[in-house]
Amino acid sequence: MKPHRSPSFTHQLVAEGYSPDELSRLRRQGTLIHLRRGAYDWPDGGDRDVVERHRRLVLATVPLSAADAVVSHESAAVLHGLPVWADQLNRVQVTRSGITSGKCRGYLHHHAAPLSASEVVELGTVRVTSVARTVVDLGRSLPFDQAVAVGDAALRAGCRPGQLTSVLDLSRGRPGVA
């Protein structure tokens, strides 16, 4: 994951002296980027790139998510530097072991699935599914050609076939594994 600036939250900006009216004006002028409710970032040119914008949305969403939430699927692919498609970056995707069914709400898509400790890594302060788990999750949900592209990129980046096999073994019985 490349170095990043943390998003600014409303309470931080207010503590710095910005009024809610000023924040609205700065948003309208394009001086301040609205990432999600209560989270902003300052433009630096990278905000026009859909992948960079999603990375910023992930960083703005994780602090507000449940403690057991682990960034997964396309959101994890963004943080790992794997290929993604712009039409799949409208929500931050997380996986939670502690829920029984998935749900989408606002900017967040919760997936319900067990996660072993070996399938979770930390990138900076963000808990993310490992590259192998990310590849398997995307392989279960993406069209074939996109899943192959993600798998190829992961292998070129150093993911070993044995890691993918181990995650596949743990994923038996989940939708899309067959």
Side-chain angles (χ1 to χ4, degrees), residues 34-118:
H34 180 247
L35 297 171
R36 59 166 290 144
R37 183 177 183 188
Y40 303 91
D41 204 354
W42 302 98
D44 63 2
D47 49 277
R48 287 183 217 92
D49 174 35
V50 69
V51 173
E52 173 61 15
R53 190 161 174 112
H54 186 76
R55 186 185 66 74
R56 291 176 184 194
L57 179 60
V58 169
L59 296 175
T61 301
V62 166
L64 307 174
S65 300
D68 67 338
V70 176
V71 176
S72 64
H73 295 76
E74 284 87 353
S75 297
V78 165
L79 297 182
H80 285 301
L82 297 173
V84 292
W85 286 259
D87 62 334
Q88 299 159 347
L89 299 178
N90 56 339
R91 286 193 171 99
V92 173
Q93 298 198 35
V94 298
T95 296
R96 296 180 60 199
S97 296
I99 60 174
T100 56
S101 64
K103 63 183 173 185
C104 290
R105 186 173 295 149
Y107 291 103
L108 196 57
H109 182 165
H110 290 269
H111 296 271
L115 285 165
S116 71
S118 65

